[in-house]
Amino acid sequence: MSGFELVAFDLDDTLAPSKSPLPDRMAKAMEALLDVAQVCVISGGQFGQFESQLLENLHATDQQLSRLHLMPTCGTRYMVYTNGAWQDVYARNLTQDERDRALAAVEDEARRRNLWEEQTWGPILEDRGSQITFSALGQQAPLEAKKAWDPSGSKKKELRAAVAKRIPDLEVRSGGSTSVDITRRGIDKAYGIEELSKQTGIAIKDMLFVGDRLDEDGNDYPVLRLGIAAHPVTDWEDTAAFIESYCGQPSREVLTVGQAS
């Protein structure tokens, strides 16, 4: 059987360590994959994060980049490489009122619960246009500090629930290990993948999703409701090994052995 027409990936801890550049091994694996399939990267991060983590160390040709689809902020923005530059296919931004209410709600509730930290690595709140993101320690916090902040996930769950009550017309969901993301209702990675299918004409059944958080509480989990074939990974090295195997033997039968359900 032939391989999947498109392979979609989460970014943080799937293609690269959290907030870190693409490792050389992964860059080479991705370049090889772009020769045999369309590739999508979808993440809650903004385009600047895609540039620093993914693109700067991906030494792909223009032809390879034309097969790469970028979906920042969980697919509320969709970008393709055209005429030597990354251009928006669409960008579905929050209104100013929605952004103001989201920023106020998450800051109020974080301060109320003593989750507004004094020592951070970058701003706690980011207005990403189509998404508001709360990062308890800042986007550039070291991995060990992130792991230590909320090992059980209880702080983040409590904050998410409280903010959701304040702004019920918006979507409030768990992001990364220390983050909460706010978008319009119904926006998650499933939304992004559905939009990708509409925009490209590639059927969901011809796509594969690879992510490190396909567990029920993870931010990759919503894609499973689409019925998409999915392959769970533990970290970027696991993903690199998987891509290398895929490029050597792009068989759908091999790929679905570890399929999440």
Side-chain angles (χ1 to χ4, degrees):
M1 297 178 70
S2 60
F4 288 85
E5 190 171 346
L6 183 143
V7 185
F9 297 89
D10 171 49
L11 179 52
D12 253 358
D13 295 320
T14 295
L15 293 179
S18 180
K19 304 302 181 289
S20 301
L22 204 67
D24 288 341
R25 178 187 176 189
M26 180 61 76
K28 291 176 182 176
M30 288 289 283
E31 290 158 21
L33 182 60
L34 285 164
D35 285 333
V36 299
Q38 302 275 328
V39 174
C40 172
V41 180
I42 181 168
S43 170
Q46 58 189 332
F47 179 61
Q49 184 179 333
F50 281 64
E51 289 182 301
S52 61
Q53 279 194 266
L54 175 67
L55 297 175
E56 286 183 5
N57 203 34
L58 183 63
H59 307 297
T61 65
D62 282 359
Q63 184 175 6
Q64 289 171 324
L65 290 175
S66 71
R67 299 166 65 83
L68 180 60
H69 308 259
L70 302 185
M71 303 197 87
T73 51
C74 292
T76 56
R77 188 177 182 188
Y78 172 38
M79 307 179 74
V80 295
Y81 191 77
T82 304
N83 297 323
W86 289 99
Q87 300 182 16
D88 284 324
V89 175
Y90 65 72
R92 292 171 184 157
N93 292 334
L94 294 164
T95 65
Q96 188 62 55
D97 174 68
E98 289 169 333
R99 297 203 298 270
D100 290 344
R101 288 188 294 111
L103 287 164
V106 72
E107 180 170 350
D108 287 350
E109 295 302 330
R111 290 187 182 277
R112 194 190 311 276
R113 288 161 177 75
N114 295 316
L115 300 179
W116 195 267
E117 302 292 341
E118 294 297 326
Q119 181 181 0
T120 64
W121 291 262
I124 293 175
L125 292 179
E126 287 184 275
D127 182 346
R128 298 176 175 178
S130 56
Q131 178 176 291
I132 299 299
T133 295
F134 166 88
S135 301
L137 302 177
Q139 282 291 309
Q140 303 306 319
L143 185 58
E144 289 307 311
K146 288 184 176 184
K147 288 181 177 179
W149 183 76
D150 187 23
S152 69
S154 59
K155 294 178 182 178
K156 193 172 58 171
K157 284 184 180 180
E158 182 182 346
L159 178 61
R160 190 215 67 79
V163 175
K165 289 181 181 179
R166 288 273 301 269
I167 45 175
D169 59 315
L170 298 177
E171 187 83 25
V172 185
R173 66 182 181 281
S174 174
S177 57
T178 63
S179 64
V180 170
D181 296 328
I182 304 170
T183 62
R184 287 183 176 161
R185 294 289 294 175
I187 303 296
D188 54 24
K189 289 184 180 177
Y191 168 89
I193 295 297
E194 284 185 306
E195 287 297 307
L196 181 66
S197 179
K198 292 175 186 176
Q199 294 288 336
T200 62
I202 299 172
I204 298 292
K205 66 180 179 63
D206 295 320
M207 296 181 180
L208 172 71
F209 184 88
V210 180
D212 72 306
R213 292 298 311 276
L214 284 160
D215 55 285
E216 191 168 349
D217 292 326
N219 59 7
D220 297 327
Y221 182 77
V223 302
L224 298 182
R225 73 170 183 259
L226 302 175
I228 193 171
H231 182 81
V233 293
T234 55
D235 54 29
W236 75 265
E237 291 175 305
D238 192 12
T239 307
F242 176 76
I243 296 172
E244 289 160 356
S245 176
Y246 179 87
C247 291
Q249 190 179 15
S251 167
R252 193 171 300 190
E253 291 178 331
V254 172
L255 289 169
T256 55
V257 168
Q259 180 176 332
S261 60

